[in-house]
Amino acid sequence: MQTGRRLLGNGRHRTPGRGLMPVRPTSVGPPMARVERGHRGERRPDSGQAGARRQFDNRPLLVFWETTKACDLACAHCRADAQRDPGPDELSTAEGFALIDDLAGIGRPRPILILTGGDCLKRDDIVTIATHAKSMGVPAAIAPSVTPQLTSPRLWALCDQGVKTASLSLDGATAGTHDAVRGIDGHFEATLAAIRRLQRHGLTVQINTTVMRSNIGELADIAALMHEMNVDIWEVFFLITTGRGTHIEASTAEENEEICNFLVDASQYGFTVRTVEAPFFRRVALERRRAEGMPAETTFEHGPLYSQLHDRLQTLLGPPTAPVRAPSAATRDGKGIIFVAANGDVYPSGFLPLRLGNVRDQSLMQIYRDDPLLRAIRDADFAGQCGVCEHADLCGGSRSRAYAASGDPLGEDPGCILTLAGAALPHP
């Protein structure tokens, strides 16, 4: 089905000049008109269930606000395609306040507002924005870049205004790998120093790592570094071809399965592991739980990559020391997650280039609740293997990767091993 073409023809717009980038949809027709779109036409085991699966219908869990495009780095895989200076059409302080007021208006529990970029610290009013979020009861977190902007006075000011969590990016276990991605010599050591600085300020520290061909072999060493530095959360991004990342080779579906099993192992060393654009990680974690803690090598057909990462992790850290810490909240692009670009454009996530609207013209919560594409995503109204998979609600595949691969944001996710397995089956 070429649903993606129909979507774009009904008012959805690609982001200008960015190729496959994060942004927006508008009209997919009544979402229930295409119920159970899988090629076999059978009803999924979890279809039609209410309760927990509807928890993100009325409010997102996370709202990402790209506060600015400005950043002093030029990272090879940057989703935002960041630039040195702010854009001329970025949301003003007053418009940012209005966005926060919209979130506050939905009552408790309010979404977490993640102030990202670019580099959120390139905004002179970032503390003022955090102050307003605190006054309106909207929890805020920051995702700054490791640059000279990341100073102790600014961190203290943000902490005083209720910011409790900060995330930084680390894309290698060595300076050679990380610095090559970030484009700055010495950035690896600066990032390790920044982690310690955040910890001294009492912040919960999340480290973001993007899986790329150049760093797959270092994932166990990065995990060991997370353990040694007492990092709270390791969030692993599975590459989508957006922004500057269109030329970078992503991992294959087979490798993704092995990496996810490795990540379950890594989560047993005292820090939480989450993924971005790899919702199948939740399916892998569930399968491991159902196996009652049996070692992964006895519960799935693992290949050399898993063996390499598993053995290296145990060499560095020894046997697991804690229970699995892998959250199972069934979020995905447009379900529990929404993204506001620097100019106010709204997208299902920062990696899905279909524009839903703009907060200058419409309430973010109205867009989130009523947009037909988002409703279809939350209904797990998918095509292909994702449409018939028993894990359609728990996982649902990466909508961003589906769109990047086929032009259909409701298509199947080629990054999942079950898509490959299903594709090999004869179609009735």
Side-chain angles (χ1 to χ4, degrees), residues 97-129:
F97 283 6
L99 173 61
I100 291 168
D101 294 346
D102 188 15
L103 301 182
I106 68 175
R108 299 181 184 277
R110 296 185 175 99
I112 299 170
L113 177 63
I114 299 172
L115 304 172
T116 182
D119 180 5
C120 62
L121 297 184
K122 291 282 279 186
R123 279 194 71 125
D124 294 336
D125 61 353
I126 194 66
V127 175
T128 303
I129 289 168

Side-chain angles (χ1 to χ4, degrees), residues 357-419:
N358 190 289
V359 297
R360 287 181 166 126
D361 307 318
Q362 192 177 4
S363 158
L364 177 64
M365 287 302 96
Q366 182 181 356
I367 295 171
Y368 178 82
R369 290 166 179 160
D370 298 340
D371 185 88
L373 175 63
L374 298 189
R375 294 181 66 176
I377 288 173
R378 293 195 292 270
D379 285 337
D381 185 15
F382 305 133
Q385 291 303 310
C386 287
V388 296
C389 182
E390 66 176 300
H391 305 292
D393 187 60
L394 175 69
C395 169
S398 165
R399 299 300 94 217
S400 298
R401 187 176 295 105
Y403 180 77
S406 69
D408 184 357
L410 300 175
E412 61 186 18
D413 178 0
C416 176
I417 194 72
L418 297 186
T419 298

Side-chain angles (χ1 to χ4, degrees), residues 36-52:
E36 309 305 331
R37 298 165 69 240
H39 63 258
R40 291 179 178 80
E42 65 223 29
R43 180 165 288 274
R44 296 184 306 265
D46 66 353
S47 291
Q49 291 181 3

Side-chain angles (χ1 to χ4, degrees), residues 51-62:
R53 81 175 280 195
R54 313 311 309 183
Q55 64 178 313
F56 298 121
D57 277 4
N58 293 319
R59 67 187 74 206
L61 176 67
L62 303 173

